[in-house]
Amino acid sequence: ALKMSRSEAEERLLEDAAPSTAGDDERSRDFRYIRRMAREEARQVRRRVKRVLLFEQLNNFVLSSQAVPVAVGFVFGACLKNNVDAFVSSFVAPSIAAIGSLQHLRDMHFTVNHSIFPVGVFVESVFETAITILALFYLIVVPMSMFTSLKYVPLRTCEECASWVKETAKRCPSCGQPTNFRPATAALRT
């Protein structure tokens, strides 16, 4: 909840309306009325602020959408790309350049009519991109797909060897016999 501090004008208004004696009913009633009106005004201001800033929509977007995982993946991918770029420029590019008797892969070029074409820059960029894609695939996609595939599947016993088999399996992994399992939902209907 949004807490609002009282302004000086509200404080003065409440002080003026405060009852001077315990028996002063009319001033007490006025004080309660002013206090109630100030609370209602504060509620309306809070509602307007929520409506203008769209707090509920922002909260729903952040919590129910894929915004946070995408942002984390983007940052992680940028960090990984920096590491792959450093690896390629430190190890891969010098290794390829050594084969061509060059000091750096970026030094590789050819000349046509006094125009220099720096092919080495492009080749190094291709290597960086390829290694980045491979690293992202094998370091992020494969482990995450293995992690998300670990979903619960009901188990049943094989009629031939009595080993536990997933309900969705067509054959028993131990003995190789067809399972012929009916899904649990189909068994409940009959």
Side-chain angles (χ1 to χ4, degrees), residues 153-159 161-175 177 179 181:
V153 177
L155 299 176
R156 302 234 180 135
T157 55
C158 176
E159 296 170 0
C161 65
S163 64
W164 289 103
V165 181
K166 289 183 180 180
E167 185 180 77
T168 57
K170 302 287 184 200
R171 293 186 171 274
C172 174
S174 300
C175 66
Q177 293 295 320
T179 57
F181 293 146

Side-chain angles (χ1 to χ4, degrees), residues 1-181:
L2 181 63
K3 293 192 177 189
M4 301 184 67
S5 62
R6 292 183 180 160
S7 67
E8 290 180 27
E10 287 176 345
E11 289 291 335
R12 276 193 231 122
L13 184 65
L14 292 174
E15 285 173 10
D16 291 343
S20 56
T21 62
D24 195 358
D25 289 335
E26 187 176 323
R27 280 179 85 70
S28 175
R29 225 174 314 144
D30 290 345
F31 176 73
R32 284 193 301 265
Y33 174 75
I34 291 172
R35 192 170 55 186
R36 192 173 346 115
M37 294 306 290
R39 285 181 186 156
E40 182 59 36
E41 184 64 29
R43 280 189 209 106
Q44 289 177 359
V45 167
R46 280 194 295 268
R47 283 187 209 121
R48 278 187 237 129
V49 167
K50 282 184 179 180
R51 211 172 323 149
V52 169
L53 296 180
L54 305 171
F55 281 136
E56 289 182 27
Q57 288 86 351
L58 178 65
N59 188 28
N60 290 340
F61 172 73
V62 170
L63 294 179
S64 67
S65 71
Q66 296 295 320
V68 174
V70 167
V72 169
F74 182 76
V75 170
F76 187 75
C79 293
L80 186 64
K81 184 186 181 325
N82 290 340
N83 291 337
V84 168
D85 291 348
F87 174 76
V88 167
S89 61
S90 299
F91 297 107
V92 176
S95 300
I96 295 172
I99 294 170
S101 301
L102 297 171
Q103 207 169 26
H104 297 287
L105 185 61
R106 292 180 184 258
D107 294 340
M108 188 169 60
H109 66 278
F110 65 89
T111 306
V112 175
N113 291 335
H114 304 291
S115 296
I116 299 173
F117 293 88
V119 177
V121 174
F122 175 73
V123 171
E124 189 171 330
S125 175
V126 167
F127 277 115
E128 287 176 357
T129 303
I131 292 176
T132 301
I133 290 170
L134 290 172
L136 282 172
F137 181 75
Y138 286 111
L139 296 177
I140 296 174
V141 174
V142 171
M144 286 305 292
S145 65
M146 289 173 60
F147 179 72
T148 56
S149 69
L150 298 175
K151 295 181 180 169
Y152 171 75
V153 177
L155 299 176
R156 302 234 180 135
T157 55
C158 176
E159 296 170 0
E160 296 292 322
C161 65
S163 64
W164 289 103
V165 181
K166 289 183 180 180
E167 185 180 77
T168 57
K170 302 287 184 200
R171 293 186 171 274
C172 174
S174 300
C175 66
Q177 293 295 320
T179 57
N180 300 324
F181 293 146

